[in-house]
């Protein structure tokens, strides 16, 4: 899966968690800063992502994730 | 002085509590009367929010041991064991623990929290993988952070989910450290330890089990869920605490590894902190000896747990797990839980209020911990206090 495909899928997954807090979600959208996901929601999102992509995302790697694009890159890395 | 922005979220929670006028996280017990009673805000209060499962804090033999050690060995060690020397009693307690569990050796830490920090950070480092249950205690999460290892969560108590994630690791799976707890502190639910042992053996990985809430509570000899499930030999490391069923302070790890002797030297939370005071070690040694023989206390504890569980169930409350030393009432919304908790305290019953993110499932809990030292009258009074709450049954 290329980066843009991962981003598109990730936007699909993150949208319900955002509960309408952003009109547009794209690669540069901040997951906590703009979408307002708290730590619990982030962990629920991680589980949804892991199920969708059949990967395990190390929680220590999440510290570097700010935007949807960052998360997409981590997903690609975790998928090997 | 400039406001620290990192404290913003905590400050907001404090302000929210101040507006309600209830502070559940700053309770002061003005006078402790017994393992199950204290004076709070001038009121005699039943303590149902301790982890004093066997009521060992006021045990006459433990108190006598502590007093003797205090008088003969002084108040403290004033330093770490590595830099400032161990007392013979530190090592004797380690040998006691190893014998108790039938393991090769033990390491004593200054708290249970540090036992997890110390073991995880000594066993794993950057580039290694640690697999942890999603509902793990903060000390396990923090241990993983200190280790700097790749930390992967699996679904709570789900051995199949763990196995799936182990398969994804490929050849690395054999090097993974798997960590679970025997009994989970929030809901009191038990791990399917046999299933986890099966996964551990399938991949040749290492398994560490935290028995903080099951040591002394479960098993004929009080050796926790691992004893009940007959898997003690398959567990590489058992971690535990002195601050619950042993009624004191401190933590430990026991294991059969050839590396037990060197692990302590690789563990910064062991090396760089003061060792336990002689009185603490002495009382803990006595408590451990008594705990092993305390099957009558364990029966009493279970009878109390069943009475409380049945009483709260009959009142219509939703409970976290089958009858166990931890009986958690699921309350749902945080503000409701806060008011309910305050109502109980004013009715003379102290329990623990637990709110997300410390709780599973984004739900607030009123957590009762049962003691063998509770009388049936106290258990009934706890139920009556819960029953006098007019708010919604969650």
């Amino acid at each position: 899966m290329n980066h843009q495909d991962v981003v598109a899928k990730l936007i699909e997954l993150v949208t319900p968690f955002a509960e309408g807090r952003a009109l547009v979600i794209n690669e540069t959208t901040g997951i906590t800063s703009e979408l307002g996901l708290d730590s619990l929601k982030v962990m629920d999102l991680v589980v949804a992502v892991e199920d969708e992509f059949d990967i395990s995302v190390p929680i220590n790697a999440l510290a570097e994730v700010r935007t949807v694009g960052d998360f997409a890159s981590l997903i690609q890395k975790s998928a090997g | 002085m400039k406001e620290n922005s990192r404290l913003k979220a905590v400050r907001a929670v404090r302000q929210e509590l101040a507006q309600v006028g209830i502070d559940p996280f700053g309770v002061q017990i003005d006078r402790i009367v017994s393992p199950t009673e204290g004076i709070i805000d001038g009121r005699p209060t039943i303590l149902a929010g301790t982890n004093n499962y066997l009521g060992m804090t006021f045990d006459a033999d433990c108190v006598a041991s502590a007093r003797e050690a205090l008088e003969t060995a002084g108040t403290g060690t004033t330093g770490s064991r590595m830099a400032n020397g161990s007392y013979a009693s530190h090592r004797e307690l380690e040998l006691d623990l190893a014998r108790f569990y039938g393991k090769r050796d033990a390491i004593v830490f200054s708290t249970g929290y540090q036992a997890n920090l110390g073991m995880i950070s000594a066993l794993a480092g950057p580039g290694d993988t640690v697999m942890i249950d999603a509902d793990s205690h903060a000390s396990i999460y923090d241990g993983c952070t200190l280790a700097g290892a790749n930390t992967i969560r699996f679904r709570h108590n789900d051995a199949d989910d763990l196995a799936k994630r182990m398969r994804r690791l490929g050849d690395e799976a054999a090097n993974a450290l798997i960590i679970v707890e025997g009994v989970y502190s929030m809901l009191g639910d038990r791990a399917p330890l046999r299933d986890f042992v099966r996964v551990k053996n399938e991949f040749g990985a290492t398994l560490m089990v935290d028995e903080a809430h099951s040591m002394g509570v479960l098993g004929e000899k009080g050796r926790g869920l691992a004893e009940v499930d007959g898997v003690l030999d398959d567990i590489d490391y058992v971690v535990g605490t002195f601050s619950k069923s042993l009624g004191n302070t401190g933590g430990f790890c026991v294991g059969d590894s050839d590396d037990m002797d060197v692990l302590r030297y690789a563990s910064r939370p062991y090396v760089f902190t003061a060792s336990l005071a002689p009185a603490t070690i002495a009382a803990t040694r006595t408590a451990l000896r008594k705990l092993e023989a305390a099957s009558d206390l364990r029966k009493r504890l279970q009878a109390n747990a069943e009475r409380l569980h049945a009483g709260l169930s009959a009142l219509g409350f939703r409970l976290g797990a089958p009858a166990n030393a931890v009986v958690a009432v699921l309350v749902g919304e945080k503000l409701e839980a806060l008011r309910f908790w305050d109502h109980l305290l004013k009715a003379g019953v102290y329990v623990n209020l637990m709110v997300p993110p410390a709780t599973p499932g984004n739900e607030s809990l009123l957590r009762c911990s049962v003691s063998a030292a509770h009388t049936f009258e106290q258990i009934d009074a706890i139920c009556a206090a819960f029953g006098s709450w007019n708010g919604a049954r969650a």
Side-chain angles (χ1 to χ4, degrees):
Chain A
M1 231 178 185
N2 69 36
H3 187 71
Q4 286 314 315
D5 290 342
V6 175
V7 168
K9 192 64 193 170
L10 184 54
I11 290 171
E12 238 177 71
L13 292 172
V14 81
T15 298
F17 288 97
E19 294 168 352
R21 279 184 290 266
L23 287 175
V24 179
I25 301 175
N26 58 35
E27 197 170 351
T28 61
T29 304
I31 293 173
T32 55
S33 60
E34 290 180 68
L35 300 182
L37 268 65
D38 61 20
S39 60
L40 284 173
K41 291 258 169 53
V42 167
M43 294 323 294
D44 288 344
L45 172 63
V46 168
V47 170
V49 163
E50 288 177 327
D51 287 346
E52 174 63 33
F53 293 95
D54 194 25
I55 57 171
S56 295
V57 177
I59 55 175
N60 48 300
L62 293 170
E64 304 299 319
V65 171
R66 298 280 180 277
T67 64
V68 169
D70 294 339
F71 200 5
S73 299
L74 177 60
I75 291 166
Q76 286 181 290
K77 198 174 147 199
S78 301
Chain B
M1 197 172 165
K2 199 171 88 175
E3 271 195 353
N4 185 319
S5 60
R6 286 208 171 268
L7 296 176
K8 194 175 158 192
V10 180
R11 220 178 277 124
V13 172
R14 298 289 302 163
Q15 278 163 2
E16 191 185 344
L17 290 174
Q19 278 168 7
V20 183
I22 303 168
D23 182 3
F25 308 117
V27 171
Q28 177 175 303
I29 299 168
D30 294 323
R31 192 163 64 84
I32 184 85
V33 177
S34 76
T36 58
E37 298 164 66
I39 306 295
I40 299 176
D41 285 339
R43 278 187 300 271
T45 303
I46 298 170
L47 303 177
T50 70
N51 298 305
N52 203 351
Y53 297 129
L54 298 182
M56 211 65 96
T57 50
F58 279 81
D59 179 90
D61 295 324
C62 294
V63 171
S65 299
R67 184 179 292 129
E68 188 193 345
L70 185 64
E71 287 172 357
T72 57
T75 53
T77 63
T78 70
S80 89
R81 292 175 63 183
M82 195 166 296
N84 308 88
S86 289
Y87 289 11
S89 59
H90 289 115
R91 186 62 191 144
E92 285 160 2
L93 175 55
E94 289 177 342
L95 296 174
D96 290 347
L97 286 161
R99 184 201 50 75
F100 173 68
Y101 279 102
K103 295 284 188 185
R104 176 185 289 194
D105 206 350
I107 305 170
V108 164
F109 293 87
S110 294
T111 64
Y113 176 87
Q114 281 170 304
N116 272 331
L117 252 62
M119 287 305 297
I120 298 168
S121 61
L123 289 167
D128 297 327
T129 301
V130 185
M131 312 293 283
I132 65 171
D133 188 288
D135 285 1
S136 289
H137 187 261
S139 57
I140 292 171
Y141 277 94
D142 292 355
C144 293
T145 303
L146 185 63
N150 285 328
T151 305
I152 292 171
R153 303 187 337 155
F154 55 88
R155 285 185 165 87
H156 177 52
N157 276 349
D158 189 337
D160 291 337
D161 192 53
L162 169 65
K164 184 170 80 180
R165 290 165 191 274
M166 292 292 281
R167 275 192 286 279
R168 286 177 187 151
L169 292 177
D171 294 342
E172 282 301 306
N175 296 323
L177 171 64
I178 301 165
I179 306 175
V180 300
E181 298 176 38
V183 168
Y184 284 82
S185 61
M186 292 293 106
L187 296 180
D189 51 332
R190 299 180 183 190
L193 275 189
R194 285 183 197 158
D195 295 338
F196 285 128
V197 163
R198 201 165 52 242
V199 175
K200 171 245 163 162
N201 287 336
E202 180 187 339
F203 291 92
T206 301
L207 176 62
M208 184 168 120
V209 179
D210 184 338
E211 294 261 34
H213 290 272
S214 30
M215 179 197 197
V217 173
L218 300 178
E220 181 58 32
K221 298 280 185 192
R223 289 177 292 189
L225 186 61
E227 183 188 351
V228 174
D229 284 358
V231 292
L232 206 44
D233 289 344
D234 293 290
I235 296 170
D236 298 284
Y237 301 103
V238 175
V239 172
T241 178
F242 305 153
S243 66
K244 296 180 170 54
S245 58
L246 290 166
N248 218 303
T249 301
F252 70 89
C253 175
V254 296
D256 278 324
S257 161
D258 294 339
D259 289 329
M260 286 302 287
D261 191 39
V262 297
L263 268 169
R264 71 177 79 224
Y265 300 102
S267 171
R268 295 172 68 85
Y270 173 90
V271 174
F272 295 103
T273 199
S275 60
L276 289 169
T280 296
I281 296 285
T284 302
R285 289 191 72 197
T286 300
L288 181 64
R289 199 174 66 242
K290 298 194 82 161
L291 175 150
E292 191 170 5
S295 54
D296 55 333
L297 288 181
R298 279 184 277 285
K299 286 192 188 109
R300 176 79 202 186
L301 171 58
Q302 187 59 27
N304 281 345
E306 282 168 15
R307 193 176 182 94
L308 181 63
H309 195 279
L312 294 176
S313 292
L315 288 166
F317 291 108
R318 216 156 32 94
L319 305 178
N324 205 343
V326 176
V327 178
V329 176
L330 305 170
V331 182
E333 196 270 319
K334 189 166 73 178
L335 195 57
E336 165 92 353
L338 184 63
R339 295 208 165 103
F340 194 168
W341 175 88
D342 188 54
H343 169 82
L344 292 173
L345 191 63
K346 289 187 172 121
V349 173
Y350 172 64
V351 301
N352 308 127
L353 173 68
M354 301 294 184
V355 296
T359 54
N362 208 8
E363 187 156 23
S364 296
L365 310 172
L366 294 172
R367 175 190 180 276
C368 308
S369 49
V370 183
S371 174
H374 281 128
T375 62
F376 277 175
E377 289 72 24
Q378 286 177 316
I379 298 290
D380 294 345
I382 296 166
C383 291
F386 270 90
S388 68
W389 173 245
N390 289 322
R393 299 283 191 266

